[in-house]
Amino acid sequence: MRTYNLYPMNEMYQPEKNDKFTFGLWTVGNPGGDPFGLPTREKINPVQIVHGLAECGAYGVNLHDNDLIPFGCSQKEKQAVVGKFKEALKETGLKVPMATTNLFHHPVFKDGAFTSSNPEIRAFALQKSMQSISMGVELGAETIVFWGGREGAETDSGKDPRDAIGWYRDAINFLSHWVNDQGWNLKFALEAKPNEPRGDIYYPTTGSMLHFISTLDKPEMCGVNPEVAHENMTGLSMVFAVAQAMEASKLFHIDLNAQKIGRYDQDLRFGSEDIKGAFFLVRLLEGCGGYPKYDGPKHFDAHAYRTESQEGVWDFAKGCMRTYKMLAEKANSFNNDPEVKEILLKNHSDSNNLSGILSYSKENAEAIRSMNANPEKLSKAGLQYEKLDQIAVEHIMGTR
Ligand code: GCO
Ligand code: MN
Ligand code: MN
C-alpha cells in the first residue's frame, strides 16, 4: 500500500494507538453499491481489512456479527472464519473495542427486530443478539452498540408506537440482565437515527435515547453512541447531543462521519462537510472549558465515495484520522489563544459575586426576589461573538 502523500513531510498528524481510532468492517469494506447502482469495487475480506487498517495506523476494528460470519452459517464455518480473523488481529495488534448485531439486513426484520409485532421475531432477535454478543466477548469487545435500523415504521396503522417503545425496552433489559448473569463487564451504547431505512425510527435522537436509558433496569450499563450524520440529517446539533451525553457521563461510543443537512444518509469522510461543526465537536471531545476529554474509541462510521477504487478507500480512512488530528490541534490553539481567553473571561465574569445565589435555598430565593436588577444596563454590552467566531475560522484556516 502506498503511504499518504498529500503532506509527506508532515509527520505530526499520524494516528497513534492512544487516539483509539476505529473503523467498522462494513465501513472500509463497503464496496460502493447504493440503492440505484451496483458495487463499484471488489469486496475485500475481513482479514484483508484488518491488515489494511493496521497499515493506516488505526487502533481497532468493529463489526456486526454478519460482517464476519454469514447469516445462518454452521458452527464449523464460524469457527474457521473467527479463527482466521483472530490470527489477523494477533499479527497486527488491532483491537475489537466494539461489536454489534445486524438486526436489519435479513427480510425477517422487515418490520423490526426488537419492535416486531410478532413475538417469535422478537425472540429470534434476542437469540441473534446473544450469539453476536458472545462472539464480541470472544474477540475482546468491551462495548456493544445497538442501532435499531429497522425499529420504526412507514405507517402508524400497523402498531401502537407505545407498544414498540416498550418492546425495545424489554429487549435491552433482557440483554443487560443476561450479560450480567454471564459475569461480563460490558457497556451498551444505544445509537439513535431519525429515519432511513425506515420512514421513521423510534427513539430518533440522542436526547430521546438519554431519556430512554433512565427508564431501564440497568441504566448504569447503558450510554449512547451519537453519530454526526444522524443528528445532522434532521438539522440538529451534534455538538449539543454529544455535550448532553458527556455531561451525563453517558458518552460510551461515538460515530464520526459527515453529512449535508436534509439529505439521505451520506456517511461521508469525517470533516468533509461542515468543517466548523467538526471543529467544535473535536474541541468538545478533546476536553475544553474545564471538562475532561472523551477517552473512548473514536469510530469512523463512514465509507469512501462510490467513485473510489480500493486505494481510494485507504485514502478515505487516512483522511478521517488526519482531519481529526488536525482539528484537535486547531482546537487546542483556539483554546489557548489569548484573545479568545480574554473575551470568554470577560463574558463569564461575576463582578457582583452572584453565582453563589443561583442554586436554590430559601435565603437565595429571597436574595433573588429582592435583587435590584438592571436589564437596560445588562443588555448594553456586545458579546464579541462575531470576533470569536472569526478567530475560530482563522484557526481552522491556518491563518492564526
Ligand atoms: C447506519 C448506522 C450503522 C450503525 C451500525 C452499528 O446509519 O447505517 O450508522 O452504520 O452505526 O450498524 O450498529
Ligand atoms: Mn449512520
Ligand atoms: Mn452509526
Side-chain angles (χ1 to χ4, degrees):
M1 193 195 313
R2 78 193 163 112
T3 51
Y4 205 76
N5 63 3
L6 283 178
Y7 303 94
M9 300 303 290
N10 196 337
E11 287 304 306
M12 72 185 284
Y13 305 116
Q14 296 300 318
E16 292 157 87
K17 292 289 169 203
N18 63 8
D19 291 320
K20 296 197 189 150
F21 290 139
T22 64
F23 291 83
L25 285 180
W26 72 97
T27 64
V28 281
N30 181 300
D34 71 15
F36 302 92
L38 291 171
T40 56
R41 33 184 192 259
E42 297 264 308
K43 214 169 164 32
I44 58 169
N45 67 48
V47 168
Q48 291 172 303
I49 294 176
V50 168
H51 284 282
L53 283 177
E55 276 180 55
C56 290
Y59 163 79
V61 59
N62 301 321
L63 71 162
H64 301 89
D65 48 354
N66 301 137
D67 297 338
L68 191 58
I69 53 162
F71 186 95
C73 77
S74 71
Q75 198 54 28
K76 205 169 146 211
E77 202 182 331
K78 179 179 167 182
Q79 270 170 5
V81 177
V82 173
K84 278 193 200 140
F85 188 66
K86 276 180 162 173
E87 237 167 72
L89 294 173
K90 208 166 152 202
E91 275 172 43
T92 55
L94 237 66
K95 302 268 182 276
V96 179
M98 179 278 261
T100 182
T101 313
N102 187 326
L103 296 171
F104 46 88
H105 195 257
H106 194 279
V108 69
F109 301 126
K110 64 188 175 195
D111 192 30
F114 298 153
T115 63
S116 166
S117 311
N118 183 343
E120 226 174 308
I121 296 178
R122 298 207 295 277
F124 175 62
L126 285 177
Q127 183 193 55
K128 192 171 192 293
S129 302
M130 288 157 79
Q131 288 164 353
S132 155
I133 293 171
S134 302
M135 186 169 84
V137 168
E138 185 184 342
L139 296 170
E142 292 170 347
T143 305
I144 305 296
V145 161
F146 290 90
W147 172 63
R150 295 281 172 201
E151 317 293 6
E154 286 69 45
T155 167
D156 293 328
S157 59
K159 69 186 86 171
D160 189 314
R162 288 166 292 192
D163 284 338
I165 285 165
W167 291 331
Y168 201 89
R169 178 182 299 111
D170 293 344
I172 300 296
N173 281 340
F174 184 106
L175 292 170
S176 58
H177 286 297
W178 176 72
V179 161
N180 194 51
D181 284 348
Q182 305 307 300
W184 294 332
N185 186 19
L186 293 174
K187 287 197 261 178
F188 287 178
L190 311 180
E191 179 176 348
K193 187 175 183 181
N195 57 273
E196 218 181 320
R198 298 310 297 268
D200 283 290
I201 297 180
Y202 307 116
Y203 304 110
T205 62
T206 297
S208 106
M209 277 301 181
L210 283 169
H211 170 261
F212 170 60
I213 289 169
S214 71
T215 72
L216 293 171
D217 286 354
K218 293 189 162 297
E220 68 287 353
M221 240 181 101
C222 298
V224 289
N225 179 35
E227 174 168 321
V228 177
H230 297 181
E231 300 297 322
N232 285 354
M233 277 164 74
T234 38
L236 293 174
S237 161
M238 176 67 170
V239 169
F240 286 7
V242 170
Q244 192 182 351
M246 287 177 93
E247 207 263 344
S249 302
K250 286 295 181 195
L251 187 66
F252 284 11
H253 200 264
I254 190 161
D255 279 3
L256 299 170
N257 54 15
Q259 169 76 31
K260 288 192 189 193
I261 288 178
R263 304 284 170 93
Y264 64 96
D265 179 16
Q266 294 178 304
D267 283 339
L268 300 168
R269 190 181 75 257
F270 180 62
S272 63
E273 289 294 332
D274 186 17
I275 192 80
K276 207 169 78 179
F279 166 80
F280 283 113
L281 175 60
V282 170
R283 178 168 175 253
L284 206 63
L285 294 174
E286 287 301 299
C288 64
Y291 291 92
K293 170 187 170 100
Y294 161 75
D295 204 28
K298 294 183 275 281
H299 173 72
F300 296 103
D301 192 10
H303 51 78
Y305 303 138
R306 192 162 178 267
T307 50
E308 301 309 289
S309 65
Q310 193 53 44
E311 196 180 21
V313 172
W314 302 125
D315 287 340
F316 148 85
K318 288 172 192 160
C320 287
M321 297 186 282
R322 185 177 174 84
T323 298
Y324 186 98
K325 296 211 69 152
M326 292 190 291
L327 288 172
E329 187 208 25
K330 303 294 179 196
N332 189 42
S333 61
F334 176 78
N335 292 337
N336 290 312
D337 187 311
E339 214 168 342
V340 170
K341 285 186 175 172
E342 194 191 312
I343 296 172
L344 290 178
L345 197 69
K346 193 183 79 199
N347 286 341
H348 288 75
S349 81
D350 184 15
S351 40
N352 295 329
N353 233 337
L354 288 175
S355 41
I357 63 164
L358 292 174
S359 49
Y360 181 78
S361 69
K362 286 197 172 136
E363 297 69 44
N364 287 350
E366 184 45 34
I368 295 272
R369 206 187 56 77
S370 57
M371 181 179 74
N372 233 338
N374 189 345
E376 299 314 318
K377 183 172 160 240
L378 289 173
S379 49
K380 284 279 181 304
L383 299 181
Q384 294 184 287
Y385 289 173
E386 284 291 355
K387 192 170 197 175
L388 259 188
D389 189 74
Q390 181 62 26
I391 295 175
V393 171
E394 302 278 339
H395 279 283
I396 296 167
M397 305 292 277
T399 52
R400 192 167 165 118

